[in-house]
Amino acid sequence: MKKVVFLLSISILIFSCSSSQRKQSKATNPKPYAETITSGELKELLYAYSSDDFEGRATGTSGQKKAVEFIKKHYIDNKIPSPIAEDDYFQEIPKSYFGTTIENDSENVIAYIKGSEKPEEVIVISAHLDHIGVSKDGQINNGADDDGSGTVAILEMAEAFKKAEKDGFAPKRSVVFLHVTGEEMGLYGSRYYADEDPIFPLKKTVVNLNIDMIGRVDDNHKNNPNYVYLIGTDRLSKELHEVSETTNKAYVNIDLDYTFNDENDPNRFYYRSDHYNFAKHKIPVIFYFNGVHEDYHRPSDTPDKINYELLEKRTQLIFYTAWELANRDKRIKVD
């Protein structure tokens, strides 16, 4: 009898170790979760988010209020919590902060996946939720690429991280999904978060991955659409640049174009999107961007012109990069 019990114990131990090894092996492979980010789901979300119902999402308008409710509902439906308070996903910003006349106060939308080992350290993934609203002639600027593409990319990545958490593979560090308002007016939402009310301490913020327009192809890449512009990767952390390069080669193999990362870039894109309000606090950043196209800030920036297969690929790249940064043993170094 003792022998049977002993053998049974050994079998249980072996099974337990094997199960643990399988779990650990799966935990180091983000591919099953990246593959839940699909062109079909991105398309469904973007057609809704950039529809006329949202009236161009101008800051402080009823259309922008519909946009934040859309984002909030997505997080509630997927049981992804807010770090502010239960079911309170809005970081309120008074209209006086914007320095101009807007109809109402506005708000950032924030959700997160809590880290399993170092929850106080955070990876912030951001995109702006607003656009330029309705033109004087009454045409709606839907902003499908700018920045509907970044908004829905974050929603899909949040789902992927949530699925990993459900499977027992929560990221080591917390991953924060930050949708900022007022970008088109001058980066107000991200500035409010970084300067006035950082929900997570800036000293514990490892990196900001910012997404602003990743659904189209610019004129420079008509013959090679397998690309994305990266801006800021090596400005504050060479290690971040190396992680980004290595991750891309391992999983996605898209052409990383650093044209606009040049410090002498006349477009000054490094200073023109929400990542800059993190970078100025010495937080390493990557800005993901497809470049300007003929429909930029026009009513013709509509969801039917998005390259959804490319949007999927770019979103997966950002997810893989966030996964790696969230699960490394040590946080990346700031130079």
Side-chain angles (χ1 to χ4, degrees), residues 81-94:
S82 164
I84 300 172
E86 186 175 357
D87 293 335
D88 180 6
Y89 291 80
F90 297 160
Q91 182 182 41
E92 303 288 347
I93 307 176

Side-chain angles (χ1 to χ4, degrees), residues 11 24 38 64 67 154 163 171 180 201 215 244 248 297 305 315:
S11 298
Q24 180 63 29
T38 66
Q64 184 251 297
I154 291 183
K163 179 169 175 52
V180 293
S244 172
N248 176 55
H297 280 194
K305 296 179 179 178
T315 303

Side-chain angles (χ1 to χ4, degrees), residues 305-328:
K305 296 179 179 178
I306 298 295
N307 183 325
Y308 288 97
E309 287 71 25
L310 189 55
L311 177 57
E312 173 188 299
K313 193 169 189 178
R314 289 166 173 167
T315 303
Q316 288 183 354
L317 169 65
I318 302 165
F319 172 79
Y320 281 123
T321 305
W323 179 285
E324 173 62 24
L325 292 165
N327 287 293
R328 292 169 68 82

Side-chain angles (χ1 to χ4, degrees), residues 129-141:
L129 60 88
D130 61 307
H131 194 51
I132 61 173
V134 182
S135 301
K136 291 181 179 179
D137 60 2
Q139 293 189 81
I140 296 173
N141 295 277

Side-chain angles (χ1 to χ4, degrees), residues 60 93-106 185:
I93 307 176
K95 61 182 181 180
S96 59
Y97 184 76
F98 294 88
T100 187
T101 302
I102 60 175
E103 294 178 21
N104 303 287
D105 297 345
S106 193
M185 299 175 63

Side-chain angles (χ1 to χ4, degrees), residues 32-33 36 113 158-169:
Y33 305 108
T36 68
I113 301 293
E159 281 191 54
F161 273 109
K162 183 62 179 181
K163 179 169 175 52
E165 182 191 52
K166 285 181 179 179
D167 289 347
F169 308 124

Side-chain angles (χ1 to χ4, degrees), residues 50-164:
S50 60
S51 69
D52 286 353
D53 290 343
F54 293 84
E55 303 166 336
R57 308 188 303 273
T59 301
T61 64
S62 59
Q64 184 251 297
K65 300 298 181 183
K66 291 178 182 177
V68 297
E69 290 294 339
F70 178 91
I71 296 168
K72 174 184 174 180
K73 183 178 185 301
H74 186 86
Y75 287 122
I76 290 175
D77 289 349
N78 286 280
K79 295 181 172 56
I80 301 170
S82 164
I84 300 172
E86 186 175 357
D87 293 335
D88 180 6
Y89 291 80
F90 297 160
Q91 182 182 41
E92 303 288 347
I93 307 176
K95 61 182 181 180
S96 59
Y97 184 76
F98 294 88
T100 187
T101 302
I102 60 175
E103 294 178 21
N104 303 287
D105 297 345
S106 193
E107 50 278 301
N108 296 329
V109 186
I110 308 174
Y112 83 132
I113 301 293
K114 187 176 181 179
S116 60
E117 295 182 17
K118 301 176 181 181
E120 73 284 354
E121 294 184 7
V122 299
I123 311 299
V124 176
I125 308 176
S126 63
H128 69 90
L129 60 88
D130 61 307
H131 194 51
I132 61 173
V134 182
S135 301
K136 291 181 179 179
D137 60 2
Q139 293 189 81
I140 296 173
N141 295 277
N142 299 105
D145 192 29
D146 185 14
D147 188 23
S149 61
T151 300
V152 300
I154 291 183
L155 296 180
E156 277 288 281
M157 283 188 278
E159 281 191 54
F161 273 109
K162 183 62 179 181
K163 179 169 175 52

Side-chain angles (χ1 to χ4, degrees), residues 208-220:
N208 170 229
L209 305 179
N210 183 52
I211 314 165
D212 195 348
M213 299 171 58
I214 59 165
R216 297 281 295 269
V217 176
D218 71 358
D219 288 339
N220 295 328

